[in-house]
Amino acid sequence: MKRPRVHRMVLAMCVGSFIVVIFYFQTNLKPVQGNGHTRGLGKSGRSPLQTLYDSDLVEPSAAQLMHQGRRELLEEACRSYTRKRRVLIPEDLKHMIVDDQHGLLYCYVPKVACTNWKRVLMVLTGESGGVRDPLQIPANEAHIPGNLRTLSEYSTSEINHRLRRYLKFLFVREPFERLVSAYRNKFTRSYNTAFHKRYGTKIIRRHRPDPSPEALERGDDVSFSEFVHYLVDPSTQREEPFNEHWERVHSLCHPCLIHYDVVGKYETLAEDSGYVLKLAGVDGEVSFPASGKSTHTTGDMAATFFRDISPTYQKRLYNLYRMDFLLFNYSMPEYLNFR
Ligand SMILES: *[C@@H]1O[C@H](CO)[C@@H](O)[C@H](O)[C@H]1NC(C)=O
């Protein structure tokens, strides 16, 4: 079934070539002073973006220096490891959530606290129905498309304006921890029947020798090893893009085309979230939910899952996620045993 993919590509190319050409200039030299029609101004009258880069001029805090280090590392890695630059099209911006009130653009990455960030943004944009505590918003409500606006819904000039003026941020996580987290959440929980039907049955059909009729029907007992085989099989991505839960951050958020101002990390979620809220001038209004879960995936846990994966497949999987390791300064995990 290659047709739909070809059609989609042709469509994307047409759209890309003669309608939408999005240019925007780097904002980290000198942010433009806010003027009358610029929304996204905090109480101080400055946008989060101005707050970020203006304060760089004074004595930078440890947090500011660290974030500057992350930005520079990302930029350098983009220069070293990506060859062709291309122009952004609205399709690329489907994961970019817009907060026009505060001047924020957040690229959400599933399995990296995105539910909580969406909840916080619902509070900030007034989509929470007056609720001020993010945790009062049910998780499924945070994920309803349409509760929050994405940048892809705006016109080209509106997109360019926001890319230049707003604070752009994302949160990343050690790629294999994120992957194991996605696997555990989508394939080992009995309630996730939609994923079992949609992906599990396909994975079992293709990657399990002699599957039982029941397994083929239910798709609810995919092993991590079968999941890995599915990911590294070239025909998987030829058919359709990866599901967002295991798609690479590089493909979801385009960090070499969009110059993110803050690269938050799951490993330092509380500090980095606090930093963004402070830049937005809303640290007194809303606080980022503290992570309460003790079941979340750790590096040690990821290591145990990788014991079942042969060195050849470890290597293929690493190559698949390589950009996410390089761009965000994650080193190759010690537990891998190919060299
Ligand atoms: C990159 O990672 C190394 C090792 O964890 C760390 O020492 C260094 O500070 C990081 N660099 C940046 C810019 O975050």
Side-chain angles (χ1 to χ4, degrees):
M1 287 296 279
K2 286 189 182 150
R3 274 282 163 69
R5 165 108 182 142
V6 170
H7 287 161
R8 220 178 305 137
M9 272 176 54
V10 170
L11 183 69
M13 275 157 57
C14 294
V15 171
S17 58
F18 62 82
I19 308 177
V20 202
V21 180
I22 297 174
F23 293 110
Y24 80 99
F25 297 97
Q26 236 315 19
T27 37
N28 66 14
L29 292 179
K30 201 157 187 78
V32 189
Q33 237 7 75
N35 55 35
H37 59 261
T38 303
R39 282 187 291 172
L41 298 186
K43 282 187 296 261
S44 59
R46 295 191 314 172
S47 74
L49 194 61
Q50 290 167 333
T51 306
L52 175 65
Y53 292 109
D54 286 359
S55 51
D56 274 357
L57 304 175
V58 205
E59 201 164 305
S61 68
Q64 284 165 335
L65 288 173
M66 189 195 64
H67 285 286
Q68 189 183 340
R70 286 185 192 169
R71 283 194 299 272
E72 286 167 3
L73 189 138
L74 173 58
E75 200 181 315
E76 188 53 43
C78 287
R79 241 197 317 270
S80 309
Y81 304 112
T82 58
R83 254 159 286 140
K84 47 183 191 286
R85 289 191 61 78
R86 62 174 183 85
V87 161
L88 285 166
I89 59 170
E91 179 77 9
D92 295 326
L93 304 168
K94 282 197 309 208
H95 272 240
M96 194 71 114
I97 292 172
V98 182
D99 174 357
D100 280 324
Q101 277 87 2
H102 302 89
L104 300 174
L105 292 174
Y106 162 59
C107 184
Y108 75 92
V109 177
K111 308 315 298 172
V112 194
C114 84
T115 306
N116 280 342
W117 262 110
K118 286 180 177 179
R119 285 169 163 151
V120 167
L121 286 164
M122 282 176 73
V123 171
L124 289 178
T125 55
E127 294 294 331
S128 61
V131 170
R132 303 300 303 169
D133 174 9
L135 288 180
Q136 301 273 294
I137 301 169
N140 63 321
E141 224 163 277
H143 294 297
I144 295 173
N147 276 352
L148 290 162
R149 295 195 72 186
T150 65
L151 196 53
S152 54
E153 298 166 31
Y154 290 76
S155 72
T156 306
S157 67
E158 289 171 329
I159 290 171
N160 285 330
H161 174 80
R162 283 161 182 74
L163 283 171
R164 273 190 225 112
R165 299 288 183 90
Y166 288 11
L167 182 89
K168 303 174 288 298
F169 69 101
L170 82 171
F171 275 75
V172 300
R173 181 177 185 177
E174 203 279 332
F176 285 170
E177 263 181 54
R178 174 170 171 249
L179 189 65
V180 169
S181 174
Y183 166 75
R184 291 179 65 220
N185 182 238
K186 299 305 172 201
F187 294 109
T188 70
R189 304 274 188 268
S190 56
Y191 55 79
N192 262 325
T193 48
F195 272 82
H196 300 159
K197 285 276 179 211
R198 171 90 165 75
Y199 296 100
T201 54
K202 187 190 270 187
I203 293 172
I204 290 169
R205 193 168 68 241
R206 296 197 182 161
H207 300 285
R208 181 178 302 178
D210 275 330
S212 73
E214 199 191 28
L216 277 175
E217 163 74 21
R218 298 162 63 102
D220 63 351
D221 65 345
V222 172
S223 70
F224 185 62
S225 159
E226 288 164 343
F227 180 52
V228 169
H229 284 226
Y230 166 79
L231 293 171
V232 303
D233 180 355
S235 64
T236 301
Q237 282 195 86
R238 248 184 268 130
E239 275 166 22
E240 59 179 345
F242 279 160
N243 177 275
E244 63 178 13
H245 290 84
W246 46 87
E247 181 59 282
R248 293 144 295 188
V249 178
H250 182 236
S251 305
L252 293 176
C253 297
H254 308 286
C256 293
L257 300 175
I258 294 168
H259 302 275
Y260 286 95
D261 302 294
V262 177
V263 177
K265 294 200 165 183
Y266 190 77
E267 293 78 12
T268 47
L269 179 62
E271 297 93 300
D272 296 351
S273 301
Y275 182 66
V276 171
L277 294 177
K278 206 171 152 70
L279 288 172
V282 294
D283 46 326
E285 289 169 49
V286 58
S287 48
F288 194 82
S291 75
K293 275 209 221 147
S294 54
T295 58
H296 81 116
T297 305
T298 62
D300 286 349
M301 208 183 277
T304 64
F305 280 89
F306 272 84
R307 278 196 215 128
D308 298 337
I309 311 300
S310 71
T312 311
Y313 276 88
Q314 288 182 8
K315 188 171 169 74
R316 288 199 205 166
L317 194 68
Y318 179 79
N319 286 338
L320 198 56
Y321 287 88
R322 184 168 162 269
M323 285 307 282
D324 281 3
F325 279 96
L326 297 171
L327 296 177
F328 304 114
N329 195 29
Y330 290 108
S331 52
M332 193 187 287
E334 298 278 342
Y335 55 76
L336 297 182
N337 48 24
F338 69 86
R339 289 299 150 189

